[in-house]
Amino acid sequence: MNNPSASSAAASKVKARPSLTVAIGSTVARQIFASALYFVSLWITTRTLGPQQNGVLTTLMLLPQTLFAFLNLGIGPSNVYHLSSGKGDHTRMRVTNWCLAVGLWIVIAVVLLISSNHLIGRVLPGIDKNAALLASLLFPMLLLAAWSSALIQGQRDYRTYNLTLLIQPVVFCISILLLRAADMITPVAVVCCTIVSQCSLWLSSERRIGRFETSTSAHYRLSGVLFFGLCAHLSNVITFLNYRLALYLVSVMLGATAVGKYALSVQLAEVFWLVSGAAAMIVFPESAAKERTPAQLQKMIDQVALVVVLVTGGGALLAGFLASTAIPWVFGEDYAGSVTPFLILLPGVVLWSYMSVIANSLAGMGFQGVNIWGALLCLGINICGDLLAIPRWGMQGAAMASSIAFSCTALYTVFADKKIMNKRVQAGHV
């Protein structure tokens, strides 16, 4: 028999949460503000460094970004999933975050210390051991910032989550402005600013988490957290390779100047994932919470995905008309070569934004296999496309391969989602 008081408390708890529209809207607002700060920082660094030094910065940042992508173990998404579904214990998760981050960084630091300058220079063209060691300090900060903020997201306290995530871009932008005023912008200095900004996000997240009520869950199992995390991690690693493989191949095949120009194209194109990223951050825990019937969830996801792709597509069309004039004017004539790759990337970016909402809903429901196969499909197309197109068409070839790969993956994910959701609606599963 149902407990009326328990049902009333649960209903009150759901009602107390902001509506999905408010949650996504506030997240988009935060993303817009953060993107504006990021754009200011990007404008200052790219104009000050120039294509060649911007290429050095891009290559240097690949080290911590790659380490984070390969070694984050999916702990962040797993924390969100388990807390949202009522199976989490944020106190024990917090301790796990600290131990894993420190342990992983010690291993990386030892590997770098025993590696030769020659070996590091071959893996990261133009980077010496000292610069690599400094960049590696960003790795544990990325882990701690992501894992700790995920605990706030898992509580579905979106107001606190958004306010906390604003700290990193604010600190980073202020740091870049101070460096510019002192005429001290270099690739290494920008990396240091990134370390400081990620550290500020981590410390702020820790302060917020400290205010949570002490939680203990009989359902919490570290093995379950790691298993879900590793499944999510596999998908994320492959997705990261899809995002960054072209940058690395352009660096190796065409040199630092070309990768500096192509990096700007990619960074500007990724701005159009602002709305989809905001929606995905809300859709993932809401799908894991299981507070909606399959039909209600499907309707909600379809509506969110449609709005996301319409807004993203409209923005991309406008950017496409303005790009040839705006990019050289804003970033300098040296970046005129970034225009064509940017335009080529836009169709794939728009379709990927739609898929991002669908993929996060599938992950929240536990269907991570679809995302893994989709990421593998994307990677396969990317690798073949890059190897064939970069030698022939340069940066434009890399952009073409990425755009085609993104588009094909989006179509596959949408088809798989429709098949799964139709079965769930017919079966009536929650």
Side-chain angles (χ1 to χ4, degrees), residues 249-288:
L249 291 177
V250 169
S251 175
V252 171
M253 295 182 183
L254 305 178
T257 300
V259 77
K261 294 177 181 179
Y262 186 64
L264 179 62
S265 302
V266 173
Q267 289 164 331
L268 291 175
E270 289 178 353
V271 168
F272 291 94
W273 284 332
L274 182 151
V275 177
S276 63
M281 286 179 187
I282 309 301
V283 162
F284 177 40
E286 291 299 321
S287 298

Side-chain angles (χ1 to χ4, degrees), residues 31 35 239 242-244 266-281 308 312 345-356 402 406:
Q31 292 270 48
S35 295
T239 300
N242 285 317
Y243 290 165
R244 295 292 175 256
V266 173
Q267 289 164 331
L268 291 175
E270 289 178 353
V271 168
F272 291 94
W273 284 332
L274 182 151
V275 177
S276 63
M281 286 179 187
V308 163
T312 305
L345 285 168
L346 288 179
V349 164
V350 171
L351 288 176
W352 188 272
S353 71
Y354 185 89
M355 187 240 11
S356 179
S402 294
F406 290 166

Side-chain angles (χ1 to χ4, degrees), residues 124-205:
L124 298 169
I127 307 301
D128 60 30
K129 180 187 287 192
N130 290 335
L133 281 168
L134 176 64
S136 76
L137 291 172
L138 178 58
F139 169 58
M141 289 298 100
L142 288 170
L143 291 178
L144 289 169
W147 292 348
S148 296
S149 60
L151 293 177
I152 303 173
Q153 184 186 4
Q155 292 284 337
R156 298 162 70 202
D157 181 357
Y158 301 122
R159 181 178 181 277
T160 299
Y161 178 67
N162 284 320
L163 289 174
T164 303
L165 259 63
L166 277 176
I167 290 170
Q168 188 272 329
V170 168
V171 172
F172 181 68
C173 187
I174 290 174
S175 301
I176 293 296
L177 289 170
L178 291 174
L179 281 180
R180 183 67 186 89
D183 196 22
M184 294 175 59
I185 290 184
T186 64
V188 170
V190 175
V191 171
C192 290
C193 289
T194 310
I195 294 171
V196 171
S197 67
Q198 291 293 338
C199 182
S200 67
L201 173 56
W202 168 52
L203 294 176
S204 178
S205 297

